[in-house]
Amino acid sequence: MGTAGLAQAEAFLEMLSAERGAALNTLDAYRRDLEDAAGFLATRKTTLLSAESDDIRALIEDLADRGFAPSSQSRRLSALRQFYRFLHTEGMRGDDPTGIIDSPRKARSLPKILSVEEVSRLLEQAEADIANAETDFEKRQKIRFRALLELLYATGMRVSELVGLPERVLADGGRFLVVRGKGNKERMVPLSGPAKAAVAEWIKARNAARLDGDDEPEWLFPASSDSGHLSRQVFARDLKSLAGRAGIPTRLVSPHVLRHAFASHLLANGADLRAVQELLGHADISTTQIYTHVLDERLRQLVTEHHPLAKNAINRDEARNHTVARGK
């Protein structure tokens, strides 16, 4: 990054970390975005600090030419908007060159989800894997995975939240989890009976394998990694492996797909959109509204099944079809 933007960019990243509690992955993404922008702006003989609106517009056009999807272009523009607002607030610039630039239009795709039957197959396979384990170590690994899977489907946590749960996360006798999400915000998520039992079995198995003198675990799912806990990549890999054994195409299964399944299955069974927003940890209801296709179908069925005129219309259609069939 050019020296004309380096100090300001680092100050911006420090603000995101200190004031907004941004995660390391988020900070790395912003740093890459700013470095890429600085590289492009250098070809236009300008810098992050002195770029004008035309330069930012040309940057977005360049991203499109390089094959970046509209969603990726929007994310890059969002990073720049926040950077320039920071510069303006701190008195480093008197204007915001991104202010008059429209975000690239993007189609909002429906989230991939698994059916209830497919999730049940995953859970059944995880249970079978425990029974088929050949060593105590393998059995502990399978018990750990089953606890992670039950927790993910029962709470809809982000995978980073799941693997990074601290040891003392259970609240109110284990009926709730206190989850620390984006922006360091906490939310309380209720635990289902199966999830609670799976976690209890994991803790029992984990503690039984501890040696005398071992320190108390800091994390619910400790591991010999830099972070001290299981990595999200390891869990995602094990989840795809489980899907293959359960006869479900691995391309359809990921931790985020299970988060979508949690939300969609709740809504399909009568949950309120605001409640699901709270459980998912979405700051804005518009993020949760990607699931409105589930609500649309539920409301259509509600009207079809319970509205008297709709039921009469269905009966008339069935009678008409029956008459036509008899006349053939």
Side-chain angles (χ1 to χ4, degrees):
M1 203 181 295
T3 55
L6 179 60
Q8 292 81 6
E10 289 302 325
F12 168 64
L13 294 172
E14 287 177 11
M15 179 277 293
L16 290 179
S17 176
E19 297 182 15
R20 301 188 190 175
L24 288 177
N25 289 338
T26 301
L27 296 175
D28 287 343
Y30 276 105
R31 180 175 281 105
R32 288 193 299 270
D33 290 347
L34 292 174
E35 288 176 348
D36 184 76
F40 172 79
L41 293 171
T43 67
R44 292 176 62 86
K45 310 300 183 186
T46 187
T47 66
L48 281 172
L49 195 58
S50 57
E52 301 295 336
S53 294
D54 285 345
D55 298 314
I56 303 300
R57 192 174 288 109
L59 168 61
I60 301 302
E61 291 173 356
D62 177 67
L63 291 174
D65 291 342
R66 283 192 272 159
F68 282 78
S71 58
S72 298
Q73 297 171 41
S74 294
R75 187 183 62 77
R76 295 288 185 98
L77 180 57
S78 175
L80 289 169
R81 286 193 203 282
Q82 294 184 64
F83 174 63
Y84 284 114
R85 285 170 188 164
F86 167 76
L87 294 184
H88 185 266
T89 300
E90 297 296 316
M92 300 181 197
R93 274 193 70 133
D95 66 334
D96 174 5
T98 67
I100 61 172
I101 298 177
D102 294 330
S103 294
R105 294 185 178 274
K106 54 180 180 177
R108 198 155 200 181
S109 59
L110 296 178
K112 296 178 183 177
I113 64 167
L114 296 171
S115 67
V116 174
E117 187 270 337
E118 287 170 325
V119 174
S120 296
R121 282 163 58 189
L122 289 175
L123 293 168
E124 289 167 2
Q125 185 62 52
E127 194 75 37
D129 287 348
I130 295 173
N132 295 330
E134 297 181 354
T135 66
D136 289 343
F137 175 78
E138 184 183 357
K139 185 173 183 179
R140 277 197 306 276
Q141 298 296 96
K142 300 303 183 183
I143 289 173
R144 180 184 70 178
F145 181 82
R146 195 262 309 272
L148 286 158
L149 182 61
E150 288 277 11
L151 276 177
L152 182 56
Y153 183 57
T155 65
M157 281 185 285
R158 300 174 180 92
V159 64
S160 57
E161 296 169 348
L162 173 69
V163 297
L165 287 171
E167 169 66 11
R168 302 187 181 280
V169 72
L170 298 174
D172 196 16
R175 295 190 300 120
F176 292 89
L177 284 181
V178 179
V179 179
R180 189 179 297 276
K182 286 187 175 181
N184 230 19
K185 294 179 180 178
E186 289 187 343
R187 66 186 188 276
M188 189 169 284
V189 182
L191 270 187
S192 66
K196 183 178 176 182
V199 171
E201 185 175 355
W202 158 242
I203 292 174
K204 180 180 177 181
R206 184 199 64 188
N207 291 347
R210 289 174 57 206
L211 300 175
D212 292 339
D214 283 352
D215 294 335
E216 288 289 328
E218 180 181 357
W219 308 102
L220 186 58
F221 301 103
S224 55
S225 63
D226 292 341
S227 63
H229 58 69
L230 185 72
S231 74
R232 65 183 191 277
Q233 291 89 350
V234 168
F235 174 67
R237 179 201 66 197
D238 291 346
L239 179 59
K240 285 190 176 293
S241 177
L242 177 82
R245 293 194 300 279
I248 300 171
T250 57
R251 71 180 186 280
L252 301 179
V253 181
S254 71
H256 208 64
V257 167
L258 274 171
R259 176 169 158 88
H260 289 319
F262 162 82
S264 297
H265 296 170
L266 279 181
L267 289 168
N269 284 280
D272 177 75
L273 193 64
R274 288 283 183 185
V276 173
Q277 174 196 0
E278 184 70 23
L279 291 171
L280 291 174
H282 287 162
D284 194 323
I285 190 66
S286 64
T287 308
T288 318
Q289 285 173 339
I290 59 174
Y291 301 106
T292 52
H293 67 289
V294 178
L295 288 176
D296 291 343
E297 177 61 19
R298 197 182 85 210
L299 292 173
R300 187 193 66 76
Q301 291 178 349
L302 181 68
V303 171
T304 300
E305 294 172 7
H306 298 286
H307 194 287
L309 295 183
K311 292 177 75 173
N312 289 340
I314 291 172
N315 292 336
R316 287 195 301 270
D317 287 342
E318 290 177 347
R320 183 166 56 251
N321 292 337
H322 181 64
T323 300
V324 170
R326 288 183 60 189
K328 287 185 176 180

PDB file of all heavy atoms in Angstrom, residues 175-191:
ATOM      1  N   ARG A 175     -29.248 -24.869  29.947  1.00  0.00           N
ATOM      2  CA  ARG A 175     -30.403 -24.731  29.057  1.00  0.00           C
ATOM      3  C   ARG A 175     -30.173 -23.685  27.972  1.00  0.00           C
ATOM      4  O   ARG A 175     -30.902 -23.641  26.988  1.00  0.00           O
ATOM      5  CB  ARG A 175     -31.657 -24.377  29.862  1.00  0.00           C
ATOM      6  CG  ARG A 175     -32.087 -25.488  30.805  1.00  0.00           C
ATOM      7  CD  ARG A 175     -33.459 -25.235  31.410  1.00  0.00           C
ATOM      8  NE  ARG A 175     -33.499 -23.985  32.175  1.00  0.00           N
ATOM      9  CZ  ARG A 175     -34.309 -22.973  31.902  1.00  0.00           C
ATOM     10  NH1 ARG A 175     -35.133 -23.048  30.866  1.00  0.00           N
ATOM     11  NH2 ARG A 175     -34.304 -21.887  32.645  1.00  0.00           N
ATOM     12  N   PHE A 176     -29.174 -22.825  28.187  1.00  0.00           N
ATOM     13  CA  PHE A 176     -28.884 -21.765  27.223  1.00  0.00           C
ATOM     14  C   PHE A 176     -27.392 -21.691  26.956  1.00  0.00           C
ATOM     15  O   PHE A 176     -26.570 -22.058  27.796  1.00  0.00           O
ATOM     16  CB  PHE A 176     -29.339 -20.399  27.757  1.00  0.00           C
ATOM     17  CG  PHE A 176     -30.834 -20.248  27.870  1.00  0.00           C
ATOM     18  CD1 PHE A 176     -31.491 -20.616  29.033  1.00  0.00           C
ATOM     19  CD2 PHE A 176     -31.567 -19.732  26.815  1.00  0.00           C
ATOM     20  CE1 PHE A 176     -32.862 -20.472  29.144  1.00  0.00           C
ATOM     21  CE2 PHE A 176     -32.941 -19.589  26.914  1.00  0.00           C
ATOM     22  CZ  PHE A 176     -33.596 -19.963  28.083  1.00  0.00           C
ATOM     23  N   LEU A 177     -27.047 -21.196  25.767  1.00  0.00           N
ATOM     24  CA  LEU A 177     -25.678 -20.843  25.434  1.00  0.00           C
ATOM     25  C   LEU A 177     -25.588 -19.327  25.339  1.00  0.00           C
ATOM     26  O   LEU A 177     -26.476 -18.677  24.785  1.00  0.00           O
ATOM     27  CB  LEU A 177     -25.264 -21.426  24.084  1.00  0.00           C
ATOM     28  CG  LEU A 177     -24.924 -22.905  23.977  1.00  0.00           C
ATOM     29  CD1 LEU A 177     -24.535 -23.221  22.541  1.00  0.00           C
ATOM     30  CD2 LEU A 177     -23.817 -23.291  24.915  1.00  0.00           C
ATOM     31  N   VAL A 178     -24.532 -18.760  25.886  1.00  0.00           N
ATOM     32  CA  VAL A 178     -24.259 -17.341  25.704  1.00  0.00           C
ATOM     33  C   VAL A 178     -23.220 -17.233  24.598  1.00  0.00           C
ATOM     34  O   VAL A 178     -22.069 -17.632  24.775  1.00  0.00           O
ATOM     35  CB  VAL A 178     -23.748 -16.691  27.001  1.00  0.00           C
ATOM     36  CG1 VAL A 178     -23.447 -15.216  26.766  1.00  0.00           C
ATOM     37  CG2 VAL A 178     -24.769 -16.859  28.118  1.00  0.00           C
ATOM     38  N   VAL A 179     -23.639 -16.739  23.443  1.00  0.00           N
ATOM     39  CA  VAL A 179     -22.792 -16.720  22.250  1.00  0.00           C
ATOM     40  C   VAL A 179     -22.292 -15.302  22.012  1.00  0.00           C
ATOM     41  O   VAL A 179     -23.078 -14.344  22.011  1.00  0.00           O
ATOM     42  CB  VAL A 179     -23.584 -17.211  21.015  1.00  0.00           C
ATOM     43  CG1 VAL A 179     -22.705 -17.171  19.776  1.00  0.00           C
ATOM     44  CG2 VAL A 179     -24.114 -18.615  21.260  1.00  0.00           C
ATOM     45  N   ARG A 180     -20.985 -15.182  21.811  1.00  0.00           N
ATOM     46  CA  ARG A 180     -20.396 -13.885  21.472  1.00  0.00           C
ATOM     47  C   ARG A 180     -20.214 -13.836  19.956  1.00  0.00           C
ATOM     48  O   ARG A 180     -19.426 -14.587  19.396  1.00  0.00           O
ATOM     49  CB  ARG A 180     -19.061 -13.697  22.185  1.00  0.00           C
ATOM     50  CG  ARG A 180     -18.488 -12.280  22.054  1.00  0.00           C
ATOM     51  CD  ARG A 180     -17.174 -12.163  22.812  1.00  0.00           C
ATOM     52  NE  ARG A 180     -17.345 -12.382  24.228  1.00  0.00           N
ATOM     53  CZ  ARG A 180     -17.717 -11.458  25.105  1.00  0.00           C
ATOM     54  NH1 ARG A 180     -17.965 -10.225  24.677  1.00  0.00           N
ATOM     55  NH2 ARG A 180     -17.835 -11.736  26.378  1.00  0.00           N
ATOM     56  N   GLY A 181     -20.956 -12.964  19.300  1.00  0.00           N
ATOM     57  CA  GLY A 181     -20.958 -12.923  17.847  1.00  0.00           C
ATOM     58  C   GLY A 181     -20.223 -11.741  17.273  1.00  0.00           C
ATOM     59  O   GLY A 181     -19.296 -11.206  17.881  1.00  0.00           O
ATOM     60  N   LYS A 182     -20.643 -11.320  16.081  1.00  0.00           N
ATOM     61  CA  LYS A 182     -19.991 -10.208  15.396  1.00  0.00           C
ATOM     62  C   LYS A 182     -20.087  -8.933  16.229  1.00  0.00           C
ATOM     63  O   LYS A 182     -21.082  -8.693  16.905  1.00  0.00           O
ATOM     64  CB  LYS A 182     -20.638  -9.984  14.024  1.00  0.00           C
ATOM     65  CG  LYS A 182     -20.269 -11.042  12.994  1.00  0.00           C
ATOM     66  CD  LYS A 182     -20.805 -10.670  11.623  1.00  0.00           C
ATOM     67  CE  LYS A 182     -20.342 -11.662  10.560  1.00  0.00           C
ATOM     68  NZ  LYS A 182     -20.841 -11.302   9.222  1.00  0.00           N
ATOM     69  N   GLY A 183     -19.041  -8.115  16.145  1.00  0.00           N
ATOM     70  CA  GLY A 183     -19.034  -6.883  16.908  1.00  0.00           C
ATOM     71  C   GLY A 183     -18.955  -7.105  18.401  1.00  0.00           C
ATOM     72  O   GLY A 183     -19.277  -6.219  19.194  1.00  0.00           O
ATOM     73  N   ASN A 184     -18.541  -8.312  18.801  1.00  0.00           N
ATOM     74  CA  ASN A 184     -18.396  -8.652  20.222  1.00  0.00           C
ATOM     75  C   ASN A 184     -19.725  -8.625  20.969  1.00  0.00           C
ATOM     76  O   ASN A 184     -19.753  -8.502  22.199  1.00  0.00           O
ATOM     77  CB  ASN A 184     -17.404  -7.705  20.902  1.00  0.00           C
ATOM     78  CG  ASN A 184     -16.363  -8.456  21.703  1.00  0.00           C
ATOM     79  OD1 ASN A 184     -16.147  -9.652  21.493  1.00  0.00           O
ATOM     80  ND2 ASN A 184     -15.731  -7.781  22.619  1.00  0.00           N
ATOM     81  N   LYS A 185     -20.841  -8.718  20.233  1.00  0.00           N
ATOM     82  CA  LYS A 185     -22.155  -8.684  20.861  1.00  0.00           C
ATOM     83  C   LYS A 185     -22.539 -10.067  21.352  1.00  0.00           C
ATOM     84  O   LYS A 185     -22.309 -11.067  20.675  1.00  0.00           O
ATOM     85  CB  LYS A 185     -23.201  -8.166  19.866  1.00  0.00           C
ATOM     86  CG  LYS A 185     -22.999  -6.722  19.455  1.00  0.00           C
ATOM     87  CD  LYS A 185     -24.060  -6.285  18.445  1.00  0.00           C
ATOM     88  CE  LYS A 185     -23.854  -4.829  18.020  1.00  0.00           C
ATOM     89  NZ  LYS A 185     -24.848  -4.420  16.995  1.00  0.00           N
ATOM     90  N   GLU A 186     -23.151 -10.112  22.537  1.00  0.00           N
ATOM     91  CA  GLU A 186     -23.582 -11.386  23.103  1.00  0.00           C
ATOM     92  C   GLU A 186     -25.073 -11.604  22.873  1.00  0.00           C
ATOM     93  O   GLU A 186     -25.856 -10.650  22.856  1.00  0.00           O
ATOM     94  CB  GLU A 186     -23.295 -11.439  24.604  1.00  0.00           C
ATOM     95  CG  GLU A 186     -21.818 -11.550  24.946  1.00  0.00           C
ATOM     96  CD  GLU A 186     -21.602 -11.776  26.436  1.00  0.00           C
ATOM     97  OE1 GLU A 186     -22.551 -11.528  27.222  1.00  0.00           O
ATOM     98  OE2 GLU A 186     -20.491 -12.183  26.828  1.00  0.00           O
ATOM     99  N   ARG A 187     -25.428 -12.853  22.665  1.00  0.00           N
ATOM    100  CA  ARG A 187     -26.840 -13.210  22.590  1.00  0.00           C
ATOM    101  C   ARG A 187     -27.034 -14.552  23.287  1.00  0.00           C
ATOM    102  O   ARG A 187     -26.105 -15.361  23.366  1.00  0.00           O
ATOM    103  CB  ARG A 187     -27.314 -13.299  21.135  1.00  0.00           C
ATOM    104  CG  ARG A 187     -26.687 -14.423  20.311  1.00  0.00           C
ATOM    105  CD  ARG A 187     -27.127 -14.318  18.853  1.00  0.00           C
ATOM    106  NE  ARG A 187     -26.715 -15.464  18.044  1.00  0.00           N
ATOM    107  CZ  ARG A 187     -25.516 -15.585  17.488  1.00  0.00           C
ATOM    108  NH1 ARG A 187     -24.596 -14.643  17.666  1.00  0.00           N
ATOM    109  NH2 ARG A 187     -25.225 -16.662  16.755  1.00  0.00           N
ATOM    110  N   MET A 188     -28.229 -14.766  23.803  1.00  0.00           N
ATOM    111  CA  MET A 188     -28.520 -16.002  24.517  1.00  0.00           C
ATOM    112  C   MET A 188     -29.365 -16.899  23.619  1.00  0.00           C
ATOM    113  O   MET A 188     -30.382 -16.473  23.072  1.00  0.00           O
ATOM    114  CB  MET A 188     -29.253 -15.712  25.826  1.00  0.00           C
ATOM    115  CG  MET A 188     -29.405 -16.932  26.721  1.00  0.00           C
ATOM    116  SD  MET A 188     -29.983 -16.491  28.381  1.00  0.00           S
ATOM    117  CE  MET A 188     -28.484 -15.815  29.071  1.00  0.00           C
ATOM    118  N   VAL A 189     -28.922 -18.138  23.435  1.00  0.00           N
ATOM    119  CA  VAL A 189     -29.587 -19.071  22.537  1.00  0.00           C
ATOM    120  C   VAL A 189     -30.004 -20.309  23.334  1.00  0.00           C
ATOM    121  O   VAL A 189     -29.175 -20.913  24.018  1.00  0.00           O
ATOM    122  CB  VAL A 189     -28.649 -19.500  21.384  1.00  0.00           C
ATOM    123  CG1 VAL A 189     -29.369 -20.439  20.435  1.00  0.00           C
ATOM    124  CG2 VAL A 189     -28.129 -18.280  20.642  1.00  0.00           C
ATOM    125  N   PRO A 190     -31.288 -20.696  23.283  1.00  0.00           N
ATOM    126  CA  PRO A 190     -31.729 -21.895  24.021  1.00  0.00           C
ATOM    127  C   PRO A 190     -31.176 -23.166  23.396  1.00  0.00           C
ATOM    128  O   PRO A 190     -30.954 -23.236  22.193  1.00  0.00           O
ATOM    129  CB  PRO A 190     -33.257 -21.832  23.907  1.00  0.00           C
ATOM    130  CG  PRO A 190     -33.514 -21.035  22.668  1.00  0.00           C
ATOM    131  CD  PRO A 190     -32.397 -20.032  22.573  1.00  0.00           C
ATOM    132  N   LEU A 191     -30.967 -24.169  24.237  1.00  0.00           N
ATOM    133  CA  LEU A 191     -30.447 -25.456  23.778  1.00  0.00           C
ATOM    134  C   LEU A 191     -31.551 -26.499  23.771  1.00  0.00           C
ATOM    135  O   LEU A 191     -32.332 -26.588  24.715  1.00  0.00           O
ATOM    136  CB  LEU A 191     -29.330 -25.950  24.709  1.00  0.00           C
ATOM    137  CG  LEU A 191     -27.902 -25.543  24.388  1.00  0.00           C
ATOM    138  CD1 LEU A 191     -26.947 -26.275  25.319  1.00  0.00           C
ATOM    139  CD2 LEU A 191     -27.550 -25.836  22.952  1.00  0.00           C
TER     140      LEU A 191
END
